[in-house]
Amino acid sequence: MINKINQLLSEIDNLKAAKAEEIEALRIKYLSKKGEVSALMNDFRNVAADQKREVGMRLNELKEKAQDKINQLRESLENNQASDDAIDLTRTAAPIALGTRHPISIVKKEICDILRKLGFSIAEGPEIEDDWHVFSALNFADDHPARDMQDTFFIARNPEVLLRTHTSSVQTRVMEKQQPPIRIICPGRVYRNEAISYRAHCFFHQVEALYIDKNVSFADLKQALLFLAKELFGADTKIRLRPSYFPFTEPSAEMDISCNICGGKGCPFCKHTGWVEILGCGMVDPNVLESCGIDSRVYTGYALGMGIERITNLKYRVSDLRLFSENDKRFLEQFESAN
Ligand code: DAH
C-alpha cells in the first residue's frame, strides 16, 4: 500500500495540463468517488492494525497533495489566459498611416500661397461655361481657332455651352461683378480635346492671376513674375520675357525661367537652350476691360496664367502626364507634404 501511495505521489507531482478539460479529467482520475485515491481509501480497512496509523497519515497526505495539485493547475491556467487577453492601455497606439497629397495639389497650393503674399485672393468659377465667359469677353475673334471643335469640348452639340479651355474665364466672371481694385488668383481644372499621350491630356490644371487697379504697369507685372519664379524655383532663378500673343492681353509675353534641371547650362529638358517656358502673361487688353464694364481709361491691369502640370514636372520631373490622373499608389506615395 505504501508503495502504491508513493508511486501516486510522484505521479501527481509531475502532472501537467494545458486546458481546463484536461484538469477536470485529472481530477476525476485521482479524486472522484471512483478515482485512484478513493480506491486506496476503500482498501484502508484491509491494512494491518499496526500499520494503520502510518498508512492513514500517508493517505491523507496523498489526498491533500492531489487536491493542491489540481488547484494549482487551475490557477496557473487562469493566469495564463488573463495575460494573453490583457490589453495594455499604456502602450502607444499603432501609428495611423497618413495619406499623401496629390502632386498637383501640392504645387497648386504652393503657387497660391506665393501669390497670396502679394495680396491676391482666390476666386473660383464653373468648369461648364458659356462661350461669352471663355472666349467672347476675352477678345477672341469669332473665327479664332481655339473655338474650334478640335480644341473645345462642346456640350450636347450646343456651341454656346462648353467645358472651359482655360481659367481665364474666371477673370471674366469676377470683372463683370466687381469694380477694381481686383487682385485674384483662379486655380482650377480645364479641358481640351487633345489625344492623350505622355505630354498631352484632355484635362489639366491652371492657375491664373489678375490684377486691375489705377496705374498698374508692365513693371509691376515683371516684379511679380520675378518674385513668383524665385519663390517657386529658388533665389538663383532668372527670368526672361519673350513677346507673344494672346487675344486678352496687349502687350503679351511668355516667361521662361533659367532651366532648373541643368542650372542654365543646357540639357535635353531645356533642349539645350538653358531656358524653359513656364507661363503666359501680359497687360489686360482694354477691349476685355470694356466688355466686362470696367473703364479702360481709368484702370489698367496685368494677367498671367500657367499650367500646374508643367510647373510640377519642372519641380518633380514627372516624365509622363498620364501619371497625374491614373491614381497609381506607387506614384502618389512618392509625394509627401506637411499640409
Ligand atoms: N489662358 C492662357 C492659356 O490657356 C494662359 C494665359 C496667358 C493666361 C496669358 C493669362 C495670360 O492670364 O495673360 O493658354
Side-chain angles (χ1 to χ4, degrees), residues 155-301:
I155 291 178
R157 298 188 182 276
N158 179 348
E160 279 304 311
V161 187
L162 44 95
L163 295 178
R164 67 181 180 195
T165 55
H166 56 182
T167 44
S168 306
S169 55
V170 185
Q171 294 187 8
T172 319
R173 291 201 169 264
V174 172
M175 283 190 282
E176 67 188 0
K177 285 207 196 73
Q178 190 188 321
Q179 282 297 306
I182 294 172
R183 213 196 286 248
I184 50 159
I185 347 168
C186 325
R189 182 174 282 189
V190 301
Y191 301 84
R192 288 184 200 176
N193 193 358
E194 305 255 11
I196 297 169
S197 73
Y198 73 97
R199 58 196 190 99
H201 211 294
C202 59
F203 63 80
F204 54 99
H205 301 80
Q206 291 185 330
V207 179
E208 184 93 8
L210 174 74
Y211 175 35
I212 303 173
D213 205 345
K214 290 177 180 154
N215 299 319
V216 178
S217 72
F218 203 95
D220 296 320
L221 169 60
K222 195 182 160 197
Q223 217 44 45
L225 291 171
L226 185 61
F227 179 73
L228 177 68
K230 284 177 186 276
E231 290 280 307
L232 268 179
F233 294 105
D236 297 335
T237 311
K238 296 187 183 62
I239 64 167
R240 159 174 109 167
L241 292 171
R242 283 179 292 102
S244 184
Y245 173 78
F246 300 103
F248 36 90
T249 45
E250 181 59 35
S252 305
E254 274 168 320
M255 180 174 93
D256 299 341
I257 57 160
S258 48
C259 177
N260 77 323
I261 289 172
C262 62
K265 287 191 212 82
C267 69
F269 191 85
C270 61
K271 301 197 185 84
H272 301 282
T273 62
W275 297 94
V276 282
E277 183 202 318
I278 65 161
L279 56 75
C281 59
M283 301 306 291
V284 180
D285 193 302
N287 287 343
V288 172
L289 296 176
E290 293 296 334
S291 64
C292 295
I294 292 172
D295 191 340
S296 63
R297 286 162 307 175
V298 181
Y299 295 108
T300 51

Side-chain angles (χ1 to χ4, degrees), residues 16-77:
K16 287 194 177 61
K19 291 190 209 136
E21 303 89 82
E22 286 171 20
I23 299 173
E24 180 59 10
L26 292 174
R27 189 193 66 78
I28 292 167
K29 178 170 179 208
Y30 294 103
L31 292 169
S32 66
K33 274 192 193 145
K34 291 183 179 159
E36 309 236 15
V37 178
S38 308
L40 286 179
M41 294 281 192
N42 289 339
D43 281 352
F44 186 66
R45 345 180 205 123
N46 308 324
V47 173
D50 59 340
Q51 286 180 12
K52 269 207 159 70
R53 192 182 135 83
E54 178 170 8
V55 172
M57 272 165 49
R58 300 302 307 271
L59 260 179
N60 280 338
E61 190 190 336
L62 174 67
K63 196 175 168 190
E64 266 172 39
K65 192 109 188 225
Q67 192 63 61
D68 284 352
K69 184 72 189 184
I70 298 287
N71 289 345
Q72 191 194 324
L73 285 172
R74 277 189 187 140
E75 230 170 79
S76 68
L77 182 71

